[in-house]
Amino acid sequence: MAPVTTARSDARWCRAPGTRELGSAQGSGLIEPRYLVRRGDGQVVQLSRLLQLVVHEVSAEREPAQVAAAVSAAFGRELTVEGLHRLIEEKLEPVGLIRACRGTSAGTPRPQPRADPLLSVRLQRTLLPVPAVRRCARVLAPLFHPSIVLLALAVATMLDVLVLGGGEVTSALERVLATPPLLLALIATLALAALFHECGHAAACAYGGARPGPIGMGIYLLFPVFYTDVTDSYRLDRAGRIRTDLGGLYFNVWCVVVLNAAFLASHNGLLLLAVLLLHLEMAQQLIPTVRFDGYFVLADLAGVPDLFARVRPVLISLVPGRPTDPRVRALRPAARRIVVGWVVLVVPVLTLGCAWLLYSLPLIVRQVLGGVAREARAMGSAWRSVDIATLLLAALSIVLLCVPLLGLAELARQIVLRVTRAARAPIRSKEQPRHGTGGRRSPSEEGTTMPNSENEPADGLTADALTDDSIFGTPRVVPETGWRRAVLSASGGAVNLGPGAAERHRAEMLARITAPISGSRRVVVMSRKGGVGKTTTALGLGSTYAKLRGDRVVAVDANPDAGNLAHRATKPCKRTITDLIADSTMISSYSDLRGYTGQVDDSRLEVLASDDDPRIGMALDRDAYHRAIDLLDHYYNLILLDTGTGILDSANQGLLAEADQLVLVLRPALDGARAAALTLDWLGEHGYGELVARAVVVMNGVRGEKPAIIERIEEHFVLRCATVVTVPWDRALEGGGRTSLSDLKPRTLDALTELAAAVADAFSSGPSVRTVNDRAWEMS
């Protein structure tokens, strides 16, 4: 380990060449804000706030400690140097945003991840390079002025009524189909309109202040398409992105205006047929099931970069009994409704479409091959008769007939590659970025799409690529125990039924228990009556937290009359809370403080003992406990206080005044319940109403099935407090000697886990303002 530490201490980090911050992502459908950073190759990555701050602060001239301090100050939470190195090495360096300028990894380039979605434009070729596209976009951008847009829509509507209402479509279609030169002219007109459609996307992108990329062509699914790289529009607001999405259709409106006007002037049936087909193409572009313009409009309305990347999480979340996937929970409510509705619509449609395609594939192949043979014969006849128009039309028909076969072959190749990749590395699935559409964008538009050295669109990353584990591989949720685990093992991992209800419940409990804590939290465990198991409850609760959370947890014997918490937990430390208070001015580090606490072997819970010396002259008072707990606040995340039974004692009242959470322990009997209810009455009357409302009541030592009186007691406290937890009787807790978690029965451990989760539910509310000696203070 030493060499690694040394190398890290010498490392200097800097941005990768060409990396540039673009600001926050506007109109995001994610709950947490995202920030845009452009990579040197033009790829745009969306980052969380913490990662964006690291990219912003890192520099070759700054030591890692300086970078960590700057990030901590801006983020409002401490980032250690070790944490900085982990963020860079595990998240930012692998995607090419940060590189090592000095250290062991300097000069060792890593391959940058590339998204490669299945439904994207393949076999791409650039038609217009970036400079030409941007010059054209600047010239056409003024057409998006609102007054010009309204005028164009009004004129197009009026001309459509005049032209399409004439009833000449059928005769125009017959003439064009019977005349090869006219059919060629129709195909050329529609191709130019499609290319102008892409110029509309680029112009809309430029009008909003973003920079469009190249315009190219490729194959989307089975058909030839044009695409435009407008990934830079992601740094626009929602209105700017939707304008870019609809820019192509708006330019189609201009095509309709020009063609209608030309038809009115010439009454050429070719122009009428072009108008009709253009309308059909515009309607097709609004279909949101695949990556046409309508898909991107819907995605930008939801604020979600790639809807297809959410299909699997949504389907998993819709399964009864399965928890909501984190990638679904990360969505805002409105965005979640849009995404779920889209998934429910698109999955059946695409499933039926794929099934039809597989069923019809033999017929399609036969018809295509037959069509190619016919057109080849037509080419031969046209060549002999020197009919240039028929020759060109037949050649073009052969090309267009072969394109679907080429698309099918490429699609099959991609499927085989994905299956092979999945078989080799089943946990390396990545959430794909926003990609190019048929006749619209390149496959890199989802999260980032920038030209590479050949001016072709590069793949991008989704908004979650760095904030989840999706870019590094999301492990499958697998059962750990029971028959489901046996099935998984017997099938070699092929059959994964997922965890059962009990295992999912335990996972949910663990997630609640390990909730992050802001600062430290103080949990008071109390009871008005002795012999109810208050000390063992404090010990079990503290041991559960120390074992499952992993951060620093201390249990304090705060009984002013010499409690026995330390004797129940571990071999007591020779020093006690009295010594801690006396030496408080000499304690300046956690290692100093460890000399005053014992530690439970099987859970790492630390215990601060009370002073049980019979020669002690006076018990500790409120101010003394305040000084001790104030010191512990600086070094522990969780402080559990095992109090005495006297609620009127100065010490106990001081502990209650400083408590964030109350655990009230009672015996499962009417007299114990009455004493606990009187305790809550007293607390409510003396200004502790909020503490009572979020208190957790523990009925300790319940034997067998709960009788009716226990259920009535439980109903009473459920109405007054946050929850009631029942802890069963356990022989290991009856002896009065040293007790550890390993001694307890499974049902007792499960009850303690439930208790820890119930108490932890209040952690997210943050520490309360505490009152000590009539003066308010807050935890630093």
PDB file of all heavy atoms in Angstrom, residues 13 17 113 194 205 252 305 361 440 450 470 482 565 644 653 661 668 706:
ATOM      1  N   TRP A  13      -2.960  16.715 -11.064  1.00  0.00           N
ATOM      2  CA  TRP A  13      -4.004  16.490 -12.063  1.00  0.00           C
ATOM      3  C   TRP A  13      -4.271  17.769 -12.838  1.00  0.00           C
ATOM      4  O   TRP A  13      -4.137  18.867 -12.310  1.00  0.00           O
ATOM      5  CB  TRP A  13      -5.293  16.032 -11.387  1.00  0.00           C
ATOM      6  CG  TRP A  13      -5.159  14.780 -10.587  1.00  0.00           C
ATOM      7  CD1 TRP A  13      -5.022  14.679  -9.241  1.00  0.00           C
ATOM      8  CD2 TRP A  13      -5.143  13.447 -11.081  1.00  0.00           C
ATOM      9  NE1 TRP A  13      -4.928  13.369  -8.857  1.00  0.00           N
ATOM     10  CE2 TRP A  13      -5.003  12.577  -9.972  1.00  0.00           C
ATOM     11  CE3 TRP A  13      -5.244  12.883 -12.357  1.00  0.00           C
ATOM     12  CZ2 TRP A  13      -4.949  11.202 -10.100  1.00  0.00           C
ATOM     13  CZ3 TRP A  13      -5.193  11.511 -12.488  1.00  0.00           C
ATOM     14  CH2 TRP A  13      -5.046  10.682 -11.365  1.00  0.00           C
ATOM     15  N   PRO A  17      -6.535  18.131 -22.609  1.00  0.00           N
ATOM     16  CA  PRO A  17      -6.490  19.224 -23.598  1.00  0.00           C
ATOM     17  C   PRO A  17      -7.835  19.419 -24.285  1.00  0.00           C
ATOM     18  O   PRO A  17      -8.477  18.460 -24.710  1.00  0.00           O
ATOM     19  CB  PRO A  17      -5.419  18.744 -24.590  1.00  0.00           C
ATOM     20  CG  PRO A  17      -4.565  17.813 -23.807  1.00  0.00           C
ATOM     21  CD  PRO A  17      -5.472  17.137 -22.833  1.00  0.00           C
ATOM     22  N   PRO A 113     -14.611   5.985 -23.104  1.00  0.00           N
ATOM     23  CA  PRO A 113     -15.829   5.216 -23.371  1.00  0.00           C
ATOM     24  C   PRO A 113     -16.655   5.843 -24.482  1.00  0.00           C
ATOM     25  O   PRO A 113     -16.735   7.049 -24.611  1.00  0.00           O
ATOM     26  CB  PRO A 113     -16.573   5.270 -22.035  1.00  0.00           C
ATOM     27  CG  PRO A 113     -16.072   6.504 -21.381  1.00  0.00           C
ATOM     28  CD  PRO A 113     -14.643   6.635 -21.794  1.00  0.00           C
ATOM     29  N   ALA A 194     -35.263  17.005 -47.897  1.00  0.00           N
ATOM     30  CA  ALA A 194     -34.726  16.355 -46.701  1.00  0.00           C
ATOM     31  C   ALA A 194     -33.419  17.002 -46.269  1.00  0.00           C
ATOM     32  O   ALA A 194     -33.154  17.175 -45.071  1.00  0.00           O
ATOM     33  CB  ALA A 194     -34.527  14.860 -46.966  1.00  0.00           C
ATOM     34  N   CYS A 205     -30.308  25.628 -34.202  1.00  0.00           N
ATOM     35  CA  CYS A 205     -29.234  25.505 -33.215  1.00  0.00           C
ATOM     36  C   CYS A 205     -28.431  26.801 -33.146  1.00  0.00           C
ATOM     37  O   CYS A 205     -28.149  27.317 -32.063  1.00  0.00           O
ATOM     38  CB  CYS A 205     -28.349  24.323 -33.588  1.00  0.00           C
ATOM     39  SG  CYS A 205     -26.993  23.992 -32.448  1.00  0.00           S
ATOM     40  N   ASN A 252     -39.265  22.404 -43.531  1.00  0.00           N
ATOM     41  CA  ASN A 252     -40.166  21.699 -44.441  1.00  0.00           C
ATOM     42  C   ASN A 252     -41.383  22.552 -44.776  1.00  0.00           C
ATOM     43  O   ASN A 252     -41.926  22.476 -45.886  1.00  0.00           O
ATOM     44  CB  ASN A 252     -40.623  20.381 -43.823  1.00  0.00           C
ATOM     45  CG  ASN A 252     -39.573  19.301 -43.895  1.00  0.00           C
ATOM     46  OD1 ASN A 252     -39.514  18.417 -43.052  1.00  0.00           O
ATOM     47  ND2 ASN A 252     -38.702  19.358 -44.915  1.00  0.00           N
ATOM     48  N   PRO A 305     -32.149  13.109 -21.392  1.00  0.00           N
ATOM     49  CA  PRO A 305     -31.354  13.035 -22.621  1.00  0.00           C
ATOM     50  C   PRO A 305     -31.678  11.849 -23.512  1.00  0.00           C
ATOM     51  O   PRO A 305     -31.780  11.994 -24.716  1.00  0.00           O
ATOM     52  CB  PRO A 305     -29.917  12.945 -22.100  1.00  0.00           C
ATOM     53  CG  PRO A 305     -29.962  13.551 -20.752  1.00  0.00           C
ATOM     54  CD  PRO A 305     -31.306  13.214 -20.195  1.00  0.00           C
ATOM     55  N   LEU A 361     -39.340 -11.429 -42.796  1.00  0.00           N
ATOM     56  CA  LEU A 361     -37.998 -11.295 -43.348  1.00  0.00           C
ATOM     57  C   LEU A 361     -37.767 -12.160 -44.588  1.00  0.00           C
ATOM     58  O   LEU A 361     -37.238 -11.649 -45.597  1.00  0.00           O
ATOM     59  CB  LEU A 361     -36.962 -11.621 -42.263  1.00  0.00           C
ATOM     60  CG  LEU A 361     -35.500 -11.384 -42.638  1.00  0.00           C
ATOM     61  CD1 LEU A 361     -35.281  -9.927 -43.021  1.00  0.00           C
ATOM     62  CD2 LEU A 361     -34.590 -11.772 -41.477  1.00  0.00           C
ATOM     63  N   ARG A 440     -32.349  13.017 -39.171  1.00  0.00           N
ATOM     64  CA  ARG A 440     -32.384  14.121 -38.220  1.00  0.00           C
ATOM     65  C   ARG A 440     -31.035  14.352 -37.579  1.00  0.00           C
ATOM     66  O   ARG A 440     -30.342  15.278 -37.902  1.00  0.00           O
ATOM     67  CB  ARG A 440     -33.463  13.818 -37.171  1.00  0.00           C
ATOM     68  CG  ARG A 440     -33.309  14.527 -35.861  1.00  0.00           C
ATOM     69  CD  ARG A 440     -33.769  15.962 -35.928  1.00  0.00           C
ATOM     70  NE  ARG A 440     -33.931  16.497 -34.621  1.00  0.00           N
ATOM     71  CZ  ARG A 440     -32.947  16.985 -33.911  1.00  0.00           C
ATOM     72  NH1 ARG A 440     -31.753  16.952 -34.378  1.00  0.00           N
ATOM     73  NH2 ARG A 440     -33.181  17.491 -32.731  1.00  0.00           N
ATOM     74  N   MET A 450     -20.046  15.196 -31.248  1.00  0.00           N
ATOM     75  CA  MET A 450     -19.159  16.125 -31.885  1.00  0.00           C
ATOM     76  C   MET A 450     -18.354  15.427 -32.946  1.00  0.00           C
ATOM     77  O   MET A 450     -18.208  14.220 -32.930  1.00  0.00           O
ATOM     78  CB  MET A 450     -18.236  16.737 -30.858  1.00  0.00           C
ATOM     79  CG  MET A 450     -18.986  17.657 -29.944  1.00  0.00           C
ATOM     80  SD  MET A 450     -20.254  18.440 -30.805  1.00  0.00           S
ATOM     81  CE  MET A 450     -19.938  20.050 -30.634  1.00  0.00           C
ATOM     82  N   SER A 470     -23.474   3.533 -14.278  1.00  0.00           N
ATOM     83  CA  SER A 470     -23.808   2.992 -15.586  1.00  0.00           C
ATOM     84  C   SER A 470     -22.622   2.976 -16.525  1.00  0.00           C
ATOM     85  O   SER A 470     -22.509   2.101 -17.373  1.00  0.00           O
ATOM     86  CB  SER A 470     -24.942   3.801 -16.206  1.00  0.00           C
ATOM     87  OG  SER A 470     -24.580   5.156 -16.281  1.00  0.00           O
ATOM     88  N   GLY A 482     -31.187 -18.548  -0.005  1.00  0.00           N
ATOM     89  CA  GLY A 482     -32.437 -19.230  -0.319  1.00  0.00           C
ATOM     90  C   GLY A 482     -32.431 -19.947  -1.653  1.00  0.00           C
ATOM     91  O   GLY A 482     -31.412 -20.084  -2.339  1.00  0.00           O
ATOM     92  N   LEU A 565     -23.648   0.012  31.491  1.00  0.00           N
ATOM     93  CA  LEU A 565     -23.540  -0.165  30.039  1.00  0.00           C
ATOM     94  C   LEU A 565     -22.175  -0.728  29.661  1.00  0.00           C
ATOM     95  O   LEU A 565     -22.080  -1.666  28.868  1.00  0.00           O
ATOM     96  CB  LEU A 565     -23.777   1.165  29.327  1.00  0.00           C
ATOM     97  CG  LEU A 565     -23.545   1.166  27.808  1.00  0.00           C
ATOM     98  CD1 LEU A 565     -24.524   0.238  27.119  1.00  0.00           C
ATOM     99  CD2 LEU A 565     -23.646   2.568  27.238  1.00  0.00           C
ATOM    100  N   GLY A 644     -30.335   7.673  32.938  1.00  0.00           N
ATOM    101  CA  GLY A 644     -30.912   7.119  34.153  1.00  0.00           C
ATOM    102  C   GLY A 644     -32.430   7.192  34.110  1.00  0.00           C
ATOM    103  O   GLY A 644     -33.032   7.618  33.119  1.00  0.00           O
ATOM    104  N   GLN A 653     -32.398  16.047  32.131  1.00  0.00           N
ATOM    105  CA  GLN A 653     -33.039  17.157  31.430  1.00  0.00           C
ATOM    106  C   GLN A 653     -32.071  17.811  30.458  1.00  0.00           C
ATOM    107  O   GLN A 653     -32.470  18.250  29.377  1.00  0.00           O
ATOM    108  CB  GLN A 653     -33.565  18.167  32.449  1.00  0.00           C
ATOM    109  CG  GLN A 653     -34.727  17.640  33.278  1.00  0.00           C
ATOM    110  CD  GLN A 653     -35.424  18.742  34.053  1.00  0.00           C
ATOM    111  OE1 GLN A 653     -35.399  19.900  33.656  1.00  0.00           O
ATOM    112  NE2 GLN A 653     -36.064  18.368  35.148  1.00  0.00           N
ATOM    113  N   GLN A 661     -32.981  12.694  18.784  1.00  0.00           N
ATOM    114  CA  GLN A 661     -33.913  11.588  18.656  1.00  0.00           C
ATOM    115  C   GLN A 661     -34.082  10.922  20.011  1.00  0.00           C
ATOM    116  O   GLN A 661     -33.133  10.844  20.799  1.00  0.00           O
ATOM    117  CB  GLN A 661     -33.395  10.574  17.626  1.00  0.00           C
ATOM    118  CG  GLN A 661     -34.308   9.405  17.348  1.00  0.00           C
ATOM    119  CD  GLN A 661     -35.465   9.762  16.440  1.00  0.00           C
ATOM    120  OE1 GLN A 661     -35.817  10.932  16.323  1.00  0.00           O
ATOM    121  NE2 GLN A 661     -36.068   8.784  15.803  1.00  0.00           N
ATOM    122  N   PRO A 668     -43.501  -4.742  28.149  1.00  0.00           N
ATOM    123  CA  PRO A 668     -44.781  -5.016  27.472  1.00  0.00           C
ATOM    124  C   PRO A 668     -45.877  -5.391  28.462  1.00  0.00           C
ATOM    125  O   PRO A 668     -46.350  -6.530  28.502  1.00  0.00           O
ATOM    126  CB  PRO A 668     -44.417  -6.185  26.556  1.00  0.00           C
ATOM    127  CG  PRO A 668     -43.296  -6.879  27.251  1.00  0.00           C
ATOM    128  CD  PRO A 668     -42.505  -5.804  27.917  1.00  0.00           C
ATOM    129  N   LYS A 706     -48.144 -11.697  20.352  1.00  0.00           N
ATOM    130  CA  LYS A 706     -48.554 -10.510  21.099  1.00  0.00           C
ATOM    131  C   LYS A 706     -50.006 -10.654  21.546  1.00  0.00           C
ATOM    132  O   LYS A 706     -50.901 -10.814  20.713  1.00  0.00           O
ATOM    133  CB  LYS A 706     -48.390  -9.262  20.231  1.00  0.00           C
ATOM    134  CG  LYS A 706     -46.952  -8.905  19.935  1.00  0.00           C
ATOM    135  CD  LYS A 706     -46.829  -7.568  19.250  1.00  0.00           C
ATOM    136  CE  LYS A 706     -47.381  -7.607  17.846  1.00  0.00           C
ATOM    137  NZ  LYS A 706     -47.153  -6.346  17.114  1.00  0.00           N
TER     138      LYS A 706
END
